[in-house]
Amino acid sequence: MSIFKTSDNVELNFHFYGTGKPLILITGFGGYQEVWTKQVSYLRKMGYSVLTYDHRNMGKSQRTAKGQSLERLT
């Protein structure tokens, strides 16, 4: 598990897979990175590196009451 700390000190969980041209897979609101499992496997076989992450308050990212805005989510 890897952690990225945002500018307002919220810890987001992310995974980076493979080597090659990078792709970032972003879920919609309420989603979590595990929904990309099959796509990550396929994209890695195609030679891409893939980054997935959980938004704040989702999946394995930090739970917090701060930063609950569309601007912060994006």
Side-chain angles (χ1 to χ4, degrees):
M1 173 165 66
S2 299
I3 300 294
F4 173 80
K5 193 172 270 193
T6 65
S7 61
D8 62 345
N9 293 315
V10 174
E11 294 181 347
L12 302 180
N13 176 265
F14 75 93
H15 287 91
F16 190 77
Y17 306 92
T19 59
K21 191 171 183 177
L23 295 174
I24 302 172
L25 302 181
I26 303 171
T27 62
F29 183 75
Y32 50 95
Q33 62 186 318
E34 281 78 14
V35 301
W36 298 117
T37 301
K38 292 189 181 210
Q39 290 86 350
V40 167
S41 296
Y42 175 77
L43 292 167
R44 288 184 66 197
K45 288 177 189 172
M46 298 298 294
Y48 292 96
S49 61
V50 181
L51 175 76
T52 63
Y53 72 97
D54 291 322
H55 295 291
R56 62 181 62 215
N57 298 320
M58 304 297 166
K60 295 179 182 170
S61 287
Q62 182 180 344
R63 303 298 192 260
T64 181
K66 65 182 174 180
Q68 301 297 331
S69 68
L70 186 57
E71 291 82 13
R72 179 49 77 176
L73 179 62
T74 56

